[in-house]
Amino acid sequence: MSVKYETREGVAILTLQNPPVNGLGLDTRRGLLEGLTRALDDVTVKAIVVTGGPRAFSGGADIREFGKPEAGMEPTLPTVIAAFERSSKPVIAAIEGLALGGGLELALGMHHRVADKRAQIGLPEVKLGLLPGAGGTQRFPRAVGLETAVNMIVSGTPVPAGKLAATKLFDRVVENDTLGAAIAVANEAAASGALSKVRDWKIEHPNAEGFLGFARTAVAAASANYPAPLKCLEAIEAAVKQPFDKGIDAEREAFALLIQTPESKALRHGFFGERAAGKIADIGPEVALREVKQVGVIGAGTMGGGIAMNFLNAGFPVTLLESNQDALERGLATIRKNYENSAKKGKLTSEQVEQRMGLIVPTLSYDALKDADLIVEAVFEEYSVKQAVFTQLDAVAKQGAILASNTSTLDVDRIAAFTQRPQDVLGMHFFSPANVMKLLEVVRGKATAKDVLATAMALAKQIGKTAVVSGVCDGFIGNRMIEQYSRQAGFLLDEGALPQQVDRAMEKFGFAMGPFRMGDLAGNDIGWAIRKRRYVEKPHMTYSKTADRVAELGRYGQKTGAGWYDYKAGDRTAYPSPIVDELIEKNSKDLGIARRAISDEEIVERLVYALVNEGAYLLEEGIAAKASDIDIVYLAGYGFPIWRGGPMFYADSVGLYNVLAAMRRYAKGHEGQAWEPAPLLVKLAESGNSFNP
Ligand code: 3H9
């Protein structure tokens, strides 16, 4: 039963019981109506309390139902809410944990609300490309005021109930015994006989028109690629200007429209993809996690320092090892500076800075790592250096300690073989800056034990990362794919494009940064070093030579004041560089290529489909377990536009048949340039299937 029914001294208590977050799926909606009917039919019941559990009152409509027949089956959420609102006996919501989206809308349809002050209250639908579709845009402004409602609905960000205590939303905000307080309100309401309905409340604002005009301009500017925020605002405007029922109609129409948009579908894919990434096919709940209380980090450089900060932020003591005192002190000073910068911006208090710094145990000795439960190394990317580190770790680390390498390019199985305990070794590939970037690739070696992998994934969540499992291969998921993308970008320069055109096209598509601006930020010397290795290891792999020419000039990017673009001191703006343009044109001439005008569409297709094809190979090889894992890597770590859902989802939405046809077109005259379609892609395209089922 998804709703438990009981009575206590004349008060019916309906408890939502649909774990994990009391999503309002069909069963639960039916259960709610049944409970309501039973309470109304029972003459001994004088009032009704609806509650959830400590984790959640309700996380909202069941998102898994969207697009399925159940979503539209009666009783729908608006029907349920209307029934509670119409109830002849007072209904009180007792809120603990979460009241989000449809969950909050349900509570808004009741006559009174009581909340634990820590309960998270919000209408996050906009984050799924939607608007609150069960009366939230109409009732919430009536309950909390126009400005708070606009801010919360358009941003989707929840706030603790305590912050809304002064509004009309709650009758009581309590520190404990929420249910007890709700029963007390129920008794008072039953005694008074009044049935307070939010729909009858007025939206008071001295200048609603002016405020909405201002909000419209701000929202339009900030949400060019998302239709939902403006729709939220339009629905709220209807709440201000129209009778309640007309406003509800406007809201419902907008919801029906938004749920069909590609943006909403992509955002929902991202939501579920992120959660699915944490589920590993052969690891179930029977796998017990290893306990991690103390962390060791080897290397206090940019990467090691950033990695350490992740754990410090989550309250783990971190032993930070360096090879010499100077490097150690520099590393500590950088961490402190980063924290102090956060404090200056008001994100941390000075006590928090000291508390985090106080969790660091700086050391020059491997012996200090003997009690660590997890040790992450972030030392130089060379097997000999890794070998030295892992041999020493094998000697000092306690039994059962997890040994992680932050390598981005080396073979984790080979690294594991430097130890006598390869089952305890795995990769934890953080992205720079490691304390900021959400993505973490967790690299499962051949021998990695299940509990080691499961523990690393759980820790990733604890430190706020979006973790995706990758198998062992050169570049793992993200970098292996980006190499094909960068190659295409290079070939486009040879054929007629300039960096600024390629970047503009990709940024218009929605990437945070085009490939050349990205190269200038990351450092062109890094790609150069990889290509030099490739020339030896994979001589058949061709590249445009322009990137080498740019690097040979010492134009490594922002850090040298020049790269694909020119930079001015203290200014990160990328200015097109006549030197680079000339170099590109000369290169085309040397290759005997007659430069041609290249459309933005071709640029986007070639770069994105290069990602897609390599992604298909990764799936086929089992390096990535599912297409959504690849999408999450690109959404969380590579600036792929989230409203397009990641490269594999995007390919699905274009249609794999069309993607394959385009690839075959590009293959003509571009032999050997990554246009050998992956067999999986061909199979799916020809059978009318997609990557994401
Ligand atoms: C809506 O309400 C529309 C209405 O306005 C109109 C309707 C007509 N449904 O994130 P977690 C699952 S739109 C189904 O790892 P956390 C989630 O998939 C909805 N399932 O935990 C996962 O399942 P699994 C508006 C849901 O503690 C598990 O719960 N609401 C839903 O870090 C744990 O999730 C939202 O947009 C759901 N609504 O965070 C809220 N929510 O274990 C979206 C969660 O099988 N949800 N699940 O992988 C969230 O923001 C977070 O999940 C939440 C919990 C804060 C609730």
Side-chain angles (χ1 to χ4, degrees):
M1 228 7 222
S2 52
V3 179
K4 186 172 110 191
Y5 184 93
E6 64 191 304
T7 55
R8 266 190 230 173
E9 293 162 17
V11 177
I13 300 169
L14 276 55
T15 308
L16 290 156
Q17 288 185 327
N18 181 22
V21 295
N22 290 329
L24 298 167
L26 181 60
D27 249 17
T28 311
R29 300 196 302 268
R30 282 188 180 140
L32 277 166
L33 272 199
E34 278 163 26
L36 175 65
T37 309
R38 195 167 156 188
L40 292 176
D41 286 348
D42 183 343
V43 290
T44 67
V45 166
K46 53 184 193 287
I48 303 156
V49 169
V50 180
T51 189
R55 178 163 184 203
F57 175 75
S58 169
D62 188 338
I63 311 168
R64 278 171 292 211
E65 259 184 11
F66 289 178
K68 300 197 183 132
E70 289 88 333
M73 276 162 77
E74 290 289 358
T76 60
L77 191 53
T79 303
V80 174
I81 293 171
F84 277 96
E85 194 170 55
R86 270 198 317 269
S87 162
S88 53
K89 299 177 183 178
V91 189
I92 293 86
I95 299 172
E96 287 178 338
L98 305 163
L100 300 180
L104 178 58
E105 292 173 298
L106 175 66
L108 280 163
M110 296 175 183
H111 306 114
H112 301 276
R113 284 149 298 278
V114 172
D116 178 284
K117 69 170 194 181
R118 290 151 298 200
Q120 289 292 311
I121 307 298
L123 291 167
E125 287 88 341
V126 73
K127 294 187 177 167
L128 300 171
L130 300 169
L131 88 174
T137 60
Q138 306 304 300
R139 291 191 183 89
F140 199 52
R142 287 173 159 83
V144 298
L146 182 60
E147 296 192 15
T148 303
V150 165
N151 289 336
M152 287 183 63
I153 293 174
V154 170
S155 72
T157 309
V159 302
K163 264 199 138 176
L164 299 171
T167 70
K168 284 158 74 183
L169 178 62
F170 297 116
D171 296 75
R172 266 167 230 181
V173 174
V174 296
E175 302 229 354
N176 51 46
D177 193 16
T178 314
L179 185 59
I183 292 174
V185 171
N187 283 316
E188 290 162 22
S192 90
L195 292 170
S196 164
K197 294 181 188 170
V198 177
R199 59 179 285 146
D200 299 332
W201 298 354
K202 293 269 161 306
I203 300 174
E204 316 273 0
H205 195 281
N207 179 13
E209 187 73 50
F211 173 71
L212 286 167
F214 156 79
R216 212 175 300 120
T217 314
V219 171
S223 63
N225 296 302
Y226 300 89
L230 267 181
K231 289 279 170 204
C232 289
L233 207 57
E234 284 169 17
I236 300 172
E237 199 164 348
V240 173
K241 295 185 178 160
Q242 297 189 34
F244 181 83
D245 289 324
K246 280 255 178 313
I248 286 281
D249 290 346
E251 177 194 271
R252 206 148 300 160
E253 203 178 301
F255 187 83
L257 186 139
L258 286 174
I259 203 157
Q260 297 300 338
T261 56
E263 292 82 3
S264 175
K265 287 179 185 163
L267 291 169
R268 272 142 49 202
H269 170 70
F271 177 83
F272 285 117
E274 194 173 328
R275 278 142 192 94
K279 299 192 173 73
I280 304 154
D282 62 340
I283 300 184
E286 73 287 354
V287 176
L289 302 186
R290 296 192 186 180
E291 193 174 37
V292 175
K293 285 192 168 154
Q294 292 199 40
V295 175
V297 174
I298 305 180
T302 313
M303 216 50 210
I307 293 171
M309 286 175 73
N310 282 293
F311 290 100
L312 298 169
N313 298 348
F316 289 92
V318 174
T319 304
L320 188 59
L321 174 80
E322 251 302 347
S323 53
N324 66 71
Q325 192 62 33
D326 276 358
L328 189 57
E329 277 167 19
R330 262 199 317 274
L332 288 170
T334 306
I335 296 177
R336 176 173 282 286
K337 200 173 98 218
N338 284 338
Y339 279 139
E340 282 173 352
N341 283 341
S342 297
K344 271 192 211 129
K345 291 183 199 144
K347 291 184 187 160
L348 287 180
T349 62
S350 46
E351 292 77 53
Q352 282 170 318
V353 173
E354 292 317 317
Q355 180 252 336
R356 288 177 198 197
M357 290 306 295
L359 287 170
I360 308 178
V361 181
T363 184
L364 298 174
S365 155
Y366 272 82
D367 281 341
L369 295 173
K370 68 180 172 12
D371 293 325
D373 305 295
L374 164 75
I375 302 163
V376 190
E377 67 77 13
V379 300
F380 195 64
E381 288 280 87
E382 214 168 270
Y383 283 115
S384 57
V385 183
K386 303 286 186 196
Q387 181 165 16
V389 167
F390 277 84
T391 311
Q392 291 184 79
L393 280 183
D394 204 12
V396 299
K398 68 180 185 188
Q399 272 312 303
I402 297 175
L403 310 181
S405 171
N406 175 53
T407 184
S408 57
T409 49
L410 303 181
D411 179 341
V412 172
D413 290 329
R414 197 166 151 195
I415 293 174
F418 295 141
T419 72
Q420 302 299 310
R421 38 172 128 175
Q423 74 281 1
D424 295 340
V425 178
L426 85 177
M428 286 178 88
H429 179 210
F430 289 83
F431 287 72
S432 189
N435 52 318
V436 177
M437 293 292 288
K438 289 285 281 177
L439 179 64
L440 176 68
E441 282 180 324
V442 176
V443 185
R444 181 180 197 171
K446 273 198 201 78
T448 306
K450 286 184 183 180
D451 61 345
V452 168
L453 183 63
T455 305
M457 294 299 282
L459 268 174
K461 190 162 185 187
Q462 242 179 304
I463 62 172
K465 295 290 173 201
T466 301
V468 176
V469 178
S470 170
V472 176
C473 71
D474 195 337
F476 311 127
I477 297 173
N479 284 344
R480 190 171 132 180
M481 286 167 65
I482 209 75
E483 190 170 355
Q484 298 305 332
Y485 168 96
S486 306
R487 283 178 76 217
Q488 286 305 315
F491 293 138
L492 284 164
L493 299 187
D494 296 353
E495 292 167 37
L498 291 173
Q500 44 277 23
Q501 187 201 353
V502 176
D503 282 350
R504 215 177 327 114
M506 297 315 289
E507 287 158 19
K508 222 163 78 197
F509 176 76
F511 268 88
M513 223 181 261
F516 297 105
R517 285 215 297 137
M518 172 112 122
D520 276 0
L521 183 70
N524 296 318
D525 47 333
I526 297 174
W528 192 27
I530 294 174
R531 284 191 304 280
K532 282 195 262 189
R533 214 176 75 211
R534 291 277 186 274
Y535 297 149
V536 179
E537 291 170 1
K538 297 185 182 170
H540 59 281
M541 189 116 129
T542 53
Y543 294 88
S544 159
K545 290 283 175 247
T546 48
D548 291 358
R549 299 291 97 85
V550 167
E552 281 157 13
L553 293 175
R555 299 180 67 105
Y556 293 165
Q558 287 191 16
K559 62 184 170 190
T560 55
W564 290 103
Y565 295 92
D566 291 336
Y567 297 91
K568 295 178 186 162
D571 177 2
R572 282 164 183 263
T573 314
Y575 296 96
S577 162
I579 298 174
V580 171
D581 291 358
E582 198 183 308
L583 177 155
I584 291 168
E585 278 160 24
K586 179 174 180 310
N587 186 58
S588 304
K589 209 161 164 196
D590 293 348
L591 290 169
I593 296 175
R595 292 176 67 77
R596 63 184 170 96
I598 298 178
S599 70
D600 285 1
E601 187 192 1
E602 177 175 343
I603 293 172
V604 168
E605 285 193 344
R606 285 178 56 182
L607 265 60
V608 175
Y609 295 170
L611 290 177
V612 171
N613 200 33
E614 198 61 23
Y617 279 113
L618 288 167
L619 278 174
E620 207 158 73
E621 293 164 25
I623 300 292
K626 40 196 182 304
S628 61
D629 284 356
I630 296 175
D631 287 333
I632 297 306
V633 166
Y634 267 77
L635 295 175
Y638 289 82
F640 199 96
I642 48 176
W643 73 92
R644 295 194 192 271
M648 311 312 270
F649 183 85
Y650 176 71
D652 285 344
S653 61
V654 172
L656 297 189
Y657 181 86
N658 298 327
V659 172
L660 182 62
M663 285 177 55
R664 287 188 166 143
R665 222 170 43 241
Y666 291 128
K668 295 202 182 95
H670 295 94
E671 287 71 20
Q673 288 188 6
W675 296 123
E676 185 62 48
L680 176 69
L681 172 61
V682 176
K683 195 175 97 192
L684 293 173
E686 289 179 349
S687 58
N689 284 306
S690 52
F691 288 120
N692 290 285

